[in-house]
Amino acid sequence: FCLKAKAAGLRTVWTPYAILYHHESASRTKDADSSQQIRAQREEAYFTAKWENFIGMDPAYNPNLTLEHENFSLSYPPRTRLGES
């Protein structure tokens, strides 16, 4: 949602008072068999290709964290230099 809003020139706002529900995962099974794993890989590849210009510039993602791994480890060297924002 946030990426689509940004692409449309809009911004999203965070509020601690909102309660949102997303039930898609309740109806989907875990990607246990090979066809489901292939589908999940295809969806991930599509997402990455579609939004690659935005993924590395997420203003909500701490610049001290890596983009190389999915474990939110520290980026070394840091992705920004001292004094840059």
Side-chain angles (χ1 to χ4, degrees), residues 5-7 15-16 18-19 22-25 30 39 49-50 52-54 59-60 64-66 69 75 81:
K6 184 172 179 66
T15 175
I19 299 173
H22 182 257
H23 296 287
E24 178 185 352
S25 60
K30 298 215 183 301
R39 186 208 69 233
K50 180 172 176 122
E52 66 184 339
N53 293 334
F54 292 102
N64 293 305
L65 302 179
T66 185
H69 308 288
S75 177
R81 295 183 186 166

Side-chain angles (χ1 to χ4, degrees), residues 28-84:
R28 287 178 68 168
T29 59
K30 298 215 183 301
D31 297 328
D33 68 42
S34 61
S35 67
Q36 292 168 328
Q37 291 173 354
I38 291 169
R39 186 208 69 233
Q41 291 169 351
R42 190 173 53 244
E43 289 174 356
E44 182 179 348
Y46 173 77
F47 178 88
T48 302
K50 180 172 176 122
W51 301 108
E52 66 184 339
N53 293 334
F54 292 102
I55 291 173
M57 300 179 294
D58 182 349
Y61 190 73
N62 189 318
N64 293 305
L65 302 179
T66 185
L67 295 174
E68 303 299 318
H69 308 288
E70 296 180 8
N71 63 0
F72 305 108
S73 59
L74 293 175
S75 177
Y76 186 81
R79 292 188 293 124
T80 59
R81 295 183 186 166
L82 192 59
E84 291 181 354

